[in-house]
C-alpha cells in the first residue's frame, strides 16, 4: 500500500484481557519496528523485525508482550493480561534503510 | 546507551516569526543519524529533517534547518516563517546501525510548539 496501516485505530479493553494490534507495512520494506508512546512522552523502542525474524526484542517490557511477522508483511503485537500501565499509543514503522515511514498508531486504553 | 534530551517541553511563536527548538544527545559512537520528527494530532510521525553525523554541512529543508554541533552533541531545529500548520509536537531522535540493518530510534520527550496567529 501507499503507507503504513495500523488497526484498530483505537482499542479499549478491560484489565486482564489480551489484545492484538496489527501493522501492515509498505510493500517491499524489509524492516519493521514497533514503538510505544505513553502520554506526554517520546517513543520507546519495543522490537525490530528484519524480514520474518526479530533480531532485536530488547525493548519489550515484559513477557506479556510478544510480536510476530509473517511473509515479510503483516506484523501483530500481542499484549497478554493487559494492565493499566499498558495504556499508550503503539506505533509501527517500516523501512528499507534508515528512512522510516510511520503509521498513525493504535491508541490502547486499559480500563 | 544513547540518550536524547529536549529541554523545552513547550514553546510558542507568532506566525511568520522564527523559532528554534533545542536538542542534545549523548553517544560514544562516531557515525550516527539525527532526526527531527513532527507529530500532529493525527499521531502520525512525519520526518521533518535528517542529518548524517559524518556530514559537516547543516541540513536544510525549505523553512526548516538544523544547527548540528557534533563536538557539543547538539542538534537544534530552526523553523523560519512559522505557519499555523507547524503547530505540533516535535521530537528529536537519534539512530545508529545497531547491527545488520537495525536502525532503531531513540527519542527525546518532545517539544510542543504552538504557532499563534
Amino acid at each position: 500500500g501507499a503507507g503504513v496501516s495500523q488497526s484498530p485505530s483505537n482499542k479499549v479493553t478491560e484489565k486482564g484481557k489480551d489484545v492484538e494490534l496489527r501493522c501492515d507495512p509498505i510493500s517491499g520494506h524489509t524492516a519493521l519496528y514497533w514503538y510505544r508512546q505513553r502520554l506526554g512522552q517520546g517513543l520507546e523502542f519495543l522490537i525490530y523485525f528484519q524480514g520474518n525474524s526479530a533480531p532485536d526484542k530488547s525493548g519489550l517490557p515484559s513477557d506479556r508482550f510478544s510480536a510476530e511477522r509473517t511473509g515479510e508483511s503483516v506484523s501483530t503485537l500481542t499484549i497478554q493480561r493487559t494492565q493499566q500501565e499498558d495504556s499508550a499509543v503503539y506505533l509501527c514503522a517500516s523501512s528499507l534503510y534508515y528512512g522510516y515511514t510511520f503509521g498513525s498508531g493504535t491508541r490502547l486504553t486499559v480500563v | 546507551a544513547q540518550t536524547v534530551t529536549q529541554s523545552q517541553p513547550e514553546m510558542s511563536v507568532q506566525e511568520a516569526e522564527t523559532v528554534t527548538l533545542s536538542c542534545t544527545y549523548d553517544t560514544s559512537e562516531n557515525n550516527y543519524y539525527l532526526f527531527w520528527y513532527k507529530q500532529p494530532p493525527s499521531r502520525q510521525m512525519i520526518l521533518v529533517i535528517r542529518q548524517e553525523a559524518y556530514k559537516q554541512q547543516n541540513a536544510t529543508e525549505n523553512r526548516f534547518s538544523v544547527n548540528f554541533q557534533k563536538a557539543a552533541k547538539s542538534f537544534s531545529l530552526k523553523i523560519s516563517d512559522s505557519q499555523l500548520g507547524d503547530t505540533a509536537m516535535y521530537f528529536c531522535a537519534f539512530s545508529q546501525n545497531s547491527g545488520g540493518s537495525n536502525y532503531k530510534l531513540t527519542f527525546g520527550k518532545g517539544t510542543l510548539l504552538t504557532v499563534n496567529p
Side-chain angles (χ1 to χ4, degrees), chain A residues 37-56:
Chain A
Q37 185 178 24
R38 289 176 160 150
L39 185 64
Q41 302 294 314
L43 281 67
E44 306 168 84
F45 168 79
L46 295 178
I47 187 169
Y48 155 69
F49 285 93
Q50 179 59 35
N52 295 338
S53 65
D56 189 348

Side-chain angles (χ1 to χ4, degrees), chain A residues 73-88:
Chain A
S73 182
V74 172
S75 176
T76 302
L77 177 68
T78 301
I79 308 173
Q80 296 178 310
R81 304 181 303 281
T82 51
Q83 304 295 314
Q84 287 187 331
E85 62 262 29
D86 299 334
S87 294

Side-chain angles (χ1 to χ4, degrees), chain A residues 9-10 31 33 35 37 40-43 45 48 50 56 58 89 91 96-107, chain B residues 33 35 37 39 42-47 50 52 54 89 91 95 98-110:
Chain A
S9 179
N10 292 283
Y33 302 80
Y35 288 84
Q37 185 178 24
Q41 302 294 314
L43 281 67
F45 168 79
Y48 155 69
Q50 179 59 35
D56 189 348
S58 62
V89 174
L91 287 151
L96 270 178
Y97 298 106
Y98 53 81
Y100 278 41
T101 301
F102 280 89
S104 295
T106 296
R107 180 180 298 281
Chain B
Y33 305 91
F35 307 84
Y37 280 90
Q39 187 180 42
S42 67
R43 297 197 307 243
Q44 187 169 17
M45 299 289 282
I46 302 166
L47 179 64
R50 176 179 66 217
E52 289 90 348
Y54 63 87
M89 282 291 290
F91 292 95
S95 175
S98 300
S101 56
N102 185 358
Y103 290 94
K104 64 183 177 183
L105 292 165
T106 300
F107 286 85
K109 292 187 176 182

